[in-house]
Amino acid sequence: MRLIFYYGCLFYFIVGVIHVCIGSLIPSFLQYYEKSPDQLGVLIFFQFTGFLVGVLSSPILVKKYQYFKTLTLGVLAMIAVLGGFLFVKEWIYLVVIAFVLGYGAGLLETTMGSFIILVERNSAARFSILEVWFGIGALGFPLFVNYFIKYYEWYFILYGVLIFLLLTLSIWYLIGNSKFRHITLPKRQKQKSLFILITKFKGDKVKILLLIGLFAFLYAGIETNLANFLSTIMILTNNEVISAFSISCFWLAIVIGRILVGQFIHKFNYWKYITCSCFALVVFLLLFPLVHGTVLYLSLIFIIGLVIAGIFPITLILATRIMENNTEEVTSIFIASASLGGALVSFLISWSLSLNTINTTFGIFSLSALMLSLIILKIRKKSQEMDKSVKQNRIGS
């Protein structure tokens, strides 16, 4: 299991890189393809649409081909599309790249994440560590981009990602083959379709499932679009010199926050932690348009990263506990809803940035964070009511 977990960290690192890949290169796309910020929103949309397809196809592929082949397919898809970029650099093919990279990342994240949650005893701490490696990938890539484009053309960065994926696939196939090839789900977790999962529940469980999906949708709308458009936001605030560094600052805070969450996870009340984080996020997002100066912007970006750091992994753990014995499917629904939020909200954010002001943009972010706060309170109330009902039924029987 230790080796399996190490591979999980590697794949989550790759997903983190892919997560910010398109967003980090947006300033270069603006010049090279002569597109506007709202047109570049199409790339973010297709990236997260691909991610959604990868997430939804993961349970089906795992059921048919098991874990090893499913994870291998995710890496191969990304290698194939980046290999094509050696020959085709047209704008339309960049849209294809965004979609397939998103698909591969969605496949890797869902397949490996659900497996770790399923088989690890201390799943909350383990999953938090996976998210740390996700954050390290998302943190390091913009710094690499910022340094690299000073000396080379931006598209060489995608070549570098291609080489890294080829090396990963070689190691994965040579070493991981014997360890993962025959891994199957425990009998109690034999896959059910997402449709069957949703339709078999009644009452409060259906409501909680829908609320969980909406929560993931809104959360990803904030996190992914804040990360992907942060460089554009910095340019609009006349802080172009820190446009790439601001993304790394955001992910550095998330990495630190998730490390702390992993270390002290057992001392937290999960519900109180998520609730406080959501309400704090509302406050700091509202403050962002009001501050001025490079230091204040970076400080606030760092604080927002710390606040948002534990929301995704802890909420996912809570979701799988509420919907017990359906870990694989609930993970897919949660991450699918998140990817859909990242895709659809990108159009709204790119439109708001085309107005050449950040006030509307952060108004959207703040409203989304407020809705997160209200939803988590509702989920907690429904979960407590459901627990009371189960206890009363046991006492009655």
Side-chain angles (χ1 to χ4, degrees), residues 66-81:
Q66 308 303 332
Y67 284 97
F68 179 80
K69 289 183 179 180
T70 301
L71 293 166
T72 302
L73 175 63
V75 179
L76 277 174
M78 293 187 286
I79 288 174
V81 75

Side-chain angles (χ1 to χ4, degrees), residues 19-245:
H19 193 72
V20 299
C21 182
I22 300 299
S24 299
L25 292 171
I26 279 180
S28 299
F29 296 154
L30 288 170
Q31 296 179 355
Y32 190 85
Y33 291 103
E34 298 180 348
K35 301 289 183 179
S36 61
D38 56 318
Q39 290 174 311
L40 289 174
V42 172
L43 292 179
I44 305 300
F45 170 77
F46 275 98
Q47 180 185 350
F48 285 99
T49 301
F51 193 92
L52 175 62
V53 174
V55 168
L56 292 177
S57 63
S58 173
I60 300 170
L61 292 172
V62 169
K63 179 181 179 181
K64 189 171 183 178
Y65 300 112
Q66 308 303 332
Y67 284 97
F68 179 80
K69 289 183 179 180
T70 301
L71 293 166
T72 302
L73 175 63
V75 179
L76 277 174
M78 293 187 286
I79 288 174
V81 75
L82 289 174
F85 191 67
L86 291 168
F87 309 100
V88 183
K89 293 182 176 61
E90 299 298 326
W91 167 257
I92 190 65
Y93 189 68
L94 197 62
V95 174
V96 175
I97 287 175
F99 180 86
V100 178
L101 287 181
Y103 174 79
L107 208 57
L108 293 183
E109 181 173 348
T110 309
T111 304
M112 185 56 78
S114 59
F115 178 76
I116 294 299
I117 291 175
L118 180 63
V119 301
E120 288 281 0
R121 291 181 179 179
N122 192 4
S123 58
R126 286 294 196 179
F127 190 76
S128 182
I129 294 172
L130 288 182
E131 289 290 325
V132 167
W133 280 97
F134 175 99
I136 291 173
L139 155 68
F141 189 78
L143 290 176
F144 172 73
V145 169
N146 191 42
Y147 173 80
F148 198 86
I149 60 176
K150 293 179 181 178
Y151 307 101
Y152 305 98
E153 294 290 343
W154 64 268
Y155 44 79
F156 282 104
I157 293 168
L158 294 183
Y159 300 160
V161 175
L162 172 61
I163 293 170
F164 182 74
L165 289 174
L166 284 169
L167 291 172
T168 299
L169 182 64
S170 301
I171 297 171
W172 168 245
Y173 196 83
L174 291 173
I175 302 175
N177 191 0
S178 61
K179 300 292 183 182
F180 286 82
R181 197 172 186 84
H182 304 293
I183 292 178
T184 57
L185 288 170
K187 291 183 179 180
R188 68 180 180 85
Q189 276 283 344
K190 285 295 183 182
Q191 299 282 36
K192 299 174 283 291
S193 72
L194 297 181
F195 178 76
I196 292 174
L197 172 69
I198 294 171
T199 56
K200 77 171 187 174
F201 288 131
K202 297 179 180 179
D204 286 341
K205 279 203 170 184
V206 173
K207 295 177 183 178
I208 291 175
L209 194 63
L210 292 174
L211 288 170
I212 287 170
L214 181 58
F215 185 94
F217 179 95
L218 292 170
Y219 170 83
I222 299 170
E223 187 214 81
T224 59
N225 287 291
L226 182 58
N228 281 305
F229 288 106
L230 201 48
S231 58
T232 307
I233 291 170
M234 289 297 98
I235 292 172
L236 287 176
T237 57
N238 298 316
N239 288 281
E240 187 172 355
V241 68
I242 61 165
S243 59
F245 181 72

Side-chain angles (χ1 to χ4, degrees), residues 281-296:
L281 184 60
V282 176
V283 174
F284 290 118
L285 287 171
L286 284 172
L287 284 176
F288 199 93
L290 304 178
V291 304
H292 299 283
T294 301
V295 175
L296 285 177

Side-chain angles (χ1 to χ4, degrees), residues 266-303:
H266 301 296
K267 298 181 180 180
F268 295 158
N269 178 302
Y270 288 179
W271 290 112
K272 289 182 180 178
Y273 172 81
I274 297 297
T275 304
C276 292
S277 296
C278 289
F279 278 108
L281 184 60
V282 176
V283 174
F284 290 118
L285 287 171
L286 284 172
L287 284 176
F288 199 93
L290 304 178
V291 304
H292 299 283
T294 301
V295 175
L296 285 177
Y297 276 128
L298 289 177
S299 299
L300 199 51
I301 288 168
F302 189 83
I303 293 171

